Amino acid sequence: MVDSLIKLGQLAVCLALVLSVYAVVQAVLSVTGRAPARLRAARNVLYANVALVSFGCVMLIWSFATLDFSVAYVAQNGSSQLPMIYRLTAMWGAHEGSLMLWLWYLTILSAVAAWLHFRDHPLSMPWVIATLATVQLGFLAFIVFLSNPFLTMTPPLSEGQDLNPLLQDPGLVFHPPVLYLGYVGFAVPFAFALASLIRTQAGTEWVRVVRGWTLFAWTMLTSGILMGGFWAYYELGWGGYWGWDPVENASLMPWLTGTALLHSMMAQDKRGLFRTWNVFLVVTTFLLTLIGTFLVRSGVLTSVHAFAVDPGRGAYMLGFLTMVMLVGYGLIILRAERLSADTLVESAWSRESAILANNVLLLVAAATVFVGMLYPLFVEAVSGERLSVGAPYFNKVVVPLMLAVVFLLGIGPSIPWRRMNPRRLAIGFRVPVLAAVLALVVTLAFGVHNALTAVAILAVSFAAAATLVDVVTGVVARQRTTCEPLWLAAARAFAIGRRRYGGLIVHFGIALIGAGIIASGLFQTAVTVSLKPGDSFELAGNVVTLRGVEDANGPGYSGRAAALSVSKDGVPLTEMRPEKRFYRVRSMATTEIAIRSSLAGDLYMVAGDETAEGGIVIRGYWNPLVNWIWTGWLVVAFGALLSLSSARRKRAPRAVPATGIEGVPAE
Amino acid sequence: MTRLSFLLAAFLLLTASAEPASFRTEAAQEETVRAIAVKLRCPVCQSENILDSQSGTAKEMMTILREQLAEGRSEAEIVEFFRSRYGDYVMLSPPASGYGGLVWAAPLLLLLAGGGAYLLLLRRSTRASGMLDATASGQSPLTEQHLKGLEL
C-alpha cells in the first residue's frame, strides 16, 4: 500500500512532465493561431501542475513521516530515531529532495503569476506561460530521469542512514525553504523579461508588473541568507556566521545582482532608462539562482572530479544552464537595438548616475565572487594544479566594494532625478558626516589600528545617519503642515509614501547589519582554555566557571555537556551548557553551542575535547553587537514588506468577457 | 567577517612581534596561532580552515603549527612548510604568483572595466543631453561644469 503511494507520487510527477510539454506547445501556438482557448489550456496546465507536484511532494514527505525505507531517498536521509519535525523536513535535506522543493515552489509561483496577470497582460501571457512551463519541464525532466527521489528498493532496508546531524536543527525547517523561495521568485521576472524581449516591448510596463515579484524574491533571498548565517552561527561553532564557502557564495551572487536589479528597475520605471541593462540583470539573476541550486548540492564546487561521479547529471545541468543563457542573452543581443532608451542620464549629479554607480559596484562584487568561486575549478581543469580561494581572499576584495555600496546607500535616496546642485547635496549631508566622524572618534577609543576598519565605521555610521535624517525630515515636514501628533504624522507619512519610506527603512536595516558585521568581526574576543571542574576564566568582563561535565543524551545521539556558570562583578548571571554530541547512525560528532545574548553582544561557548583529569577544553567567544545583524534583518523585512504593500495594483474593472482575451489594451 | 578579525589580529601581531619574545603572553601566542590557522585550509574538508575543522588532519596540523611557533619560526616559514607538504591548495588566500596572481588581478580589472563603462556612458550621455540643452536654451553651463569635474 505504502509502496503504491510513492509510485502514485512518481506517476503524478511524470504526468506533470508530459503536461508541461503540452503547455509549452499550446502557449506558443496560441500566439500564431490567435487562439485564446490554447492559451487557457496552457494556463490550466500550470494550475494542474501545482496539484500534481504537490501530490508528489506530499507523498515523499509522507514516506519520511511513516519511515518507508523501501524508498531509497528516505533510507538515505531518514531513520527511526529522527524526531518527527525533521522527518517532515528531511525532504529538502539532500540533493534530490531539494530539487523537488524548487520545483514545488516553481509550480506554485507560476500558477500565482498566471492567475494574477492573465487578464491584464494577455499579449505577454503566452510567452510568460511558455517560459515558466519550459523551466518546469527542465526541472521535471531532471527529477524524473536523473535525480529521482521516488526510486524504491527491494528488499527495503530495516533502518535508514539518518539525516546529516548538522541538518537536525530548526534551521533546516526555515532556511532552505525561505532561501529557495527567494531563488524561485526570480523565475517570474525572468519569464516577463523574456516575454517583453520576444515582443520587443521593453517599455516600463513589464517593470511595473515585475517590481513586486522582484522585491518579494529579494526579501526572501535576503531572509534566507541571513537565516543561513544565523544557523551557521549557532550550529557550526566557530563563532562566525559567514565563511565565504562556495555554498554561501552561490546564494550571495543572485543577491548582489538582484539588489542591483531592484535599483536599476526604478530608473526604468521613473525615467525609462537602462532598459537593456534591466533585462540583462533579470536574466543574470535567474541564471545565478539556477547555478546556486544546481552546483551547490552536486559537489562540483569542491572539485571537478566530483563531476565525473555522475556525468549524466553534470552534463544535464550544464546543458540546461547553457540553454537558459543562450536564450536569455541571445534575445537581449537580438533586441538590443530596439531597446535603447529615449531618455538620457543628464548629469553626473543625479539619481540615475548614483544608481548606475551602485550597479557597477554590485556587479563587480558579484563577478568577483563568481571568479573566485570557479577559478579553482578552472585552474584544476587547465593545469591539474589545485589551489584555494577562500575567506581571506574574499574579505580583502569584496569588503571594500561593499563599503562603497553602503556609502552610496546613504547618499542615493537624497539625490533627485535628472540633475542637482552638488553643493546643496553636500550641505544636506552635514549632520550624517558629523555623526560618522563622531562614531569614528568613539570607536578609535576602543582601539582601531586599521584603515579599512576606520573606513567601514565611517561608511556605516554615515549611511545610518543619512537614512535617519531622511526619514525624520519627511515626518517632521508632515507634522508641521498637518499639526498631527508626531507618531500619527510618522504613521501616515509611512502609509502614504510606502515605497520611499519602505526603501529607507530597508537601507537603515542594512546599515544596522553592517554595524553588526563590523563590530562582531573586528572586535571579537576568543579564548581557548582547558578547565578542570571549579576552574574559571575571564571573557569580556564575565567570569566563567566550570562546574562539571555531565551526560546529555537525546534522540539518536549520546552527548556530553559542560555545565558553566557565568557571573559578572560577583553577581551570578546565567548558566550555560555547551554540548558535544555523537550521532550513532552516521557515527558523526557535532557540537551544540551555548549562547547568552544581550544587546551589547553574545557570550558564545563551544565544548571541546574532555581532558584526562575530568575537565574539558572550552572555546569561548565574545561577539559584540552580533545581535544587530539579526535585528537589522527584522528592520529590512519590515521595510521590504511596507514597500511591497504598495505593489498591489488597482485591479482594472473586468471589462473583458471571460471567453475572449483579444484586444485588451492593458499593456 | 570573523575571519577578517583574525587577519587584522595577524596584522597587529606581526607589527607587535618586533617586541622581545619574553613580552609575549600565552594569549598573544594563541592569537598568532589562530591568525595563521585561519589562512590554512584543512586538506580533507569541504572548505574549512584548520582552526574550525574538527578533522584529525586539521588537529594534527594545529599541533604542528603550535610546535613550530614555539620553536620560534615565523608565519611565512610555517605557511611555506605546509605549502611544501600539501601544495598551494592549503593556502586559503591564493598565492600572488602564477595562477593565483590572475585571481588577485580579477577584481581590479573588473572594477576598472566597470568604472570605465560608467564614466564612458555618463560622458556620452551627458554630452548628448548637453547638446539637447544647448539647442534648447543656447547654453549648458551646468553640464559643461560636470564634464570638467568628471575628467579630473
Side-chain angles (χ1 to χ4, degrees):
Chain A
M1 177 63 199
V2 172
D3 187 50
S4 61
L5 272 180
I6 195 76
K7 286 292 169 216
L8 272 181
Q10 159 125 38
L11 187 67
V13 172
C14 291
L15 196 56
L17 172 67
V18 177
L19 279 180
S20 64
V21 178
Y22 175 75
V24 176
V25 172
Q26 289 291 18
V28 172
L29 285 182
S30 78
V31 180
T32 49
R34 312 277 297 160
R38 286 183 187 277
L39 187 59
R40 280 200 306 277
R43 177 199 62 183
N44 293 343
V45 167
L46 294 190
Y47 295 163
N49 275 4
V50 176
L52 290 170
V53 172
S54 299
F55 180 77
C57 287
V58 169
M59 284 307 107
L60 201 54
I61 293 173
W62 178 253
S63 309
F64 270 107
T66 56
L67 294 170
D68 177 6
F69 295 128
S70 67
V71 181
Y73 187 69
V74 177
Q76 280 154 17
N77 296 290
S79 85
S80 56
Q81 295 174 5
L82 198 62
M84 184 49 89
I85 178 74
Y86 303 129
R87 286 191 210 163
L88 296 178
T89 50
M91 181 182 100
W92 51 81
H95 178 82
E96 291 86 348
S98 44
L99 287 176
M100 269 307 277
L101 179 67
W102 214 101
L103 175 69
W104 198 5
Y105 279 148
L106 180 64
T107 56
I108 294 171
L109 294 186
S110 305
V112 170
W115 181 69
L116 278 178
H117 307 298
F118 194 75
R119 272 169 211 291
D120 299 348
H121 301 276
L123 297 176
S124 293
M125 210 28 77
W127 300 112
V128 170
I129 292 177
T131 309
L132 289 172
T134 309
V135 179
Q136 287 189 11
L137 172 63
F139 271 84
L140 280 161
F142 190 64
I143 286 170
V144 170
F145 297 117
L146 293 163
S147 167
N148 192 337
F150 297 102
L151 294 179
T152 52
M153 312 181 286
T154 39
L157 297 179
S158 54
E159 177 59 293
Q161 291 163 4
D162 203 8
L163 185 64
N164 184 339
L166 286 176
L167 300 179
Q168 295 186 30
D169 184 276
L172 177 72
V173 182
F174 301 106
H175 165 61
V178 173
L179 186 74
Y180 271 35
L181 199 48
Y183 278 177
V184 183
F186 283 109
V188 179
F190 172 73
F192 271 95
L194 280 201
S196 76
L197 279 174
I198 293 168
R199 296 182 50 228
T200 328
Q201 283 284 319
T204 53
E205 304 87 352
W206 77 273
V207 172
R208 295 216 170 109
V209 181
V210 155
R211 179 187 170 269
W213 283 98
T214 310
L215 190 52
F216 165 77
W218 183 88
T219 311
M220 289 303 151
L221 194 55
T222 311
S223 306
I225 291 173
L226 283 167
M227 282 175 183
F230 186 58
W231 188 9
Y233 176 67
Y234 73 77
E235 177 71 27
L236 297 181
W238 47 275
Y241 39 81
W242 187 266
W244 295 104
D245 184 271
V247 180
E248 294 166 330
N249 289 343
S251 66
L252 183 65
M253 290 188 297
W255 186 86
L256 290 168
T257 55
T259 309
L261 172 66
L262 269 182
H263 290 89
S264 77
M265 268 166 58
M266 233 162 52
Q268 182 168 354
D269 191 4
K270 302 261 189 216
R271 302 263 298 122
L273 284 161
F274 309 149
R275 292 179 177 183
T276 323
W277 182 241
N278 280 329
V279 252
F280 169 78
L281 281 180
V282 175
V283 173
T284 306
T285 307
F286 181 66
L287 264 171
L288 289 173
T289 65
L290 286 183
I291 290 176
T293 316
F294 278 163
L295 298 196
V296 162
R297 284 277 163 86
S298 68
V300 176
L301 288 172
T302 19
S303 164
V304 273
H305 301 307
F307 222 58
V309 175
D310 198 337
R313 280 188 191 178
Y316 184 92
M317 286 170 180
L318 268 186
F320 189 62
L321 282 173
T322 312
M323 198 192 81
V324 173
M325 202 156 73
L326 283 181
V327 171
Y329 292 149
L331 274 171
I332 292 175
I333 292 165
L334 280 180
R335 299 289 202 243
E337 200 84 322
R338 301 210 221 154
L339 288 182
S340 59
D342 32 61
T343 48
L344 294 156
V345 180
E346 290 174 27
S347 154
W349 297 99
S350 63
R351 178 81 66 87
E352 297 90 314
S353 155
I355 287 175
L356 204 57
N358 144 308
N359 271 231
V360 166
L361 289 169
L362 287 168
L363 261 277
V364 170
T368 303
V369 175
F370 188 77
V371 170
M373 192 173 89
L374 293 183
Y375 192 69
L377 287 184
F378 167 76
V379 171
E380 196 187 344
V382 169
S383 71
E385 280 179 47
R386 297 192 74 192
L387 55 77
S388 306
V389 179
Y393 168 84
F394 289 112
N395 279 329
K396 251 184 216 150
V397 296
V398 179
V399 169
L401 288 170
M402 293 319 285
L403 287 179
V405 172
V406 168
F407 180 71
L408 265 182
L409 163 160
I411 305 182
S414 306
I415 306 179
W417 295 99
R418 300 173 75 95
R419 65 177 54 178
M420 72 168 310
N421 181 344
R423 197 175 302 150
R424 195 175 297 163
L425 182 75
I427 292 170
F429 283 121
R430 272 177 314 183
V431 179
V433 167
L434 205 68
V437 172
L438 209 68
L440 183 63
V441 169
V442 169
T443 40
L444 276 178
F446 279 94
V448 176
H449 307 274
N450 179 282
L452 188 63
T453 318
V455 173
I457 290 163
L458 276 176
V460 167
S461 48
F462 171 80
T467 314
L468 272 184
V469 168
D470 265 1
V471 173
V472 170
T473 317
V475 171
V476 168
R478 180 180 169 90
Q479 197 231 354
R480 284 227 180 99
T481 49
T482 58
C483 294
E484 293 160 338
L486 199 59
W487 65 269
L488 193 64
R492 290 210 172 129
F494 281 15
I496 293 167
R498 286 180 198 188
R499 281 174 71 160
R500 176 168 171 77
Y501 285 104
L504 285 172
I505 291 169
V506 169
H507 279 188
F508 187 68
I510 298 284
L512 280 183
I513 293 174
I517 290 174
I518 293 172
S520 64
L522 300 183
F523 299 99
Q524 184 188 50
T525 334
V527 289
T528 310
V529 284
S530 174
L531 300 173
K532 289 190 290 292
D535 284 356
S536 43
F537 67 98
E538 207 201 311
L539 181 58
N542 301 285
V543 177
V544 184
T545 314
L546 177 71
R547 287 192 289 115
V549 186
E550 302 154 4
D551 276 336
N553 299 330
Y557 65 87
S558 47
R560 294 280 282 166
L564 303 166
S565 47
V566 183
S567 63
K568 190 165 197 171
D569 306 323
V571 185
L573 263 185
T574 184
E575 310 272 298
M576 296 176 78
R577 289 171 58 88
E579 289 175 28
K580 270 185 92 77
R581 290 181 181 172
F582 183 76
Y583 282 80
R584 286 183 293 270
V585 182
R586 290 215 174 194
S587 63
M588 190 171 156
T590 68
T591 52
E592 284 298 303
I593 289 94
I595 299 176
R596 179 186 158 83
S597 290
S598 68
L599 204 60
D602 282 8
L603 265 182
Y604 182 105
M605 298 292 160
V606 192
D609 296 329
E610 289 187 57
T611 56
E613 313 93 76
I616 193 165
V617 174
I618 295 287
R619 195 186 285 170
Y621 295 87
W622 168 248
N623 296 321
L625 304 197
V626 71
N627 279 325
W628 290 32
I629 301 173
W630 327 128
T631 314
W633 168 67
L634 287 178
V635 176
V636 167
F638 171 71
L641 287 180
L642 185 70
S643 187
L644 202 56
S645 68
S646 79
R648 215 175 24 208
R649 301 153 306 126
K650 289 165 202 78
R651 262 190 167 276
R654 291 196 171 187
V656 200
T659 47
I661 51 147
E662 283 163 291
V664 189
E667 282 171 285
Chain B
M1 284 303 287
T2 314
R3 319 223 172 169
L4 188 58
S5 72
F6 299 150
L7 272 180
L8 289 171
F11 171 73
L12 293 180
L13 281 157
L14 273 179
T15 51
S17 61
E19 293 170 25
S22 57
F23 282 2
R24 276 203 202 158
T25 61
E26 201 181 319
Q29 173 89 34
E30 198 50 33
E31 281 294 288
T32 320
V33 170
R34 283 165 44 108
I36 301 173
V38 294
K39 291 182 188 165
L40 296 171
R41 180 180 195 147
C42 160
V44 297
C45 316
Q46 279 251 327
S47 57
E48 271 181 306
N49 58 46
I50 59 169
L51 182 74
D52 300 336
S53 169
Q54 300 292 318
S55 74
T57 315
K59 284 181 178 165
E60 245 168 63
M61 287 171 76
M62 285 297 287
T63 316
I64 296 173
L65 169 60
R66 286 210 170 85
E67 283 169 9
Q68 298 208 345
L69 259 185
E71 285 166 17
R73 290 222 204 172
S74 73
E75 176 179 337
E77 286 168 348
I78 297 172
V79 170
E80 192 47 50
F81 169 78
F82 284 115
R83 193 177 165 186
S84 65
R85 250 186 154 188
Y86 298 101
D88 286 346
Y89 184 69
V90 81
M91 296 163 73
L92 275 170
S93 193
S97 58
Y99 279 110
L102 263 176
V103 80
W104 281 107
L108 267 178
L109 294 177
L110 285 167
L111 194 63
L112 279 178
Y118 169 76
L119 288 180
L120 201 74
L121 192 128
L122 214 59
R123 202 170 141 173
R124 218 175 47 191
S125 196
T126 46
R127 183 165 287 168
S129 92
M131 268 150 65
L132 284 180
D133 279 6
T135 49
S137 61
Q139 55 177 358
S140 59
L142 243 181
T143 324
E144 282 301 321
Q145 189 188 327
H146 292 144
L147 276 179
K148 270 182 203 147
L150 265 180
E151 279 158 2
L152 277 179

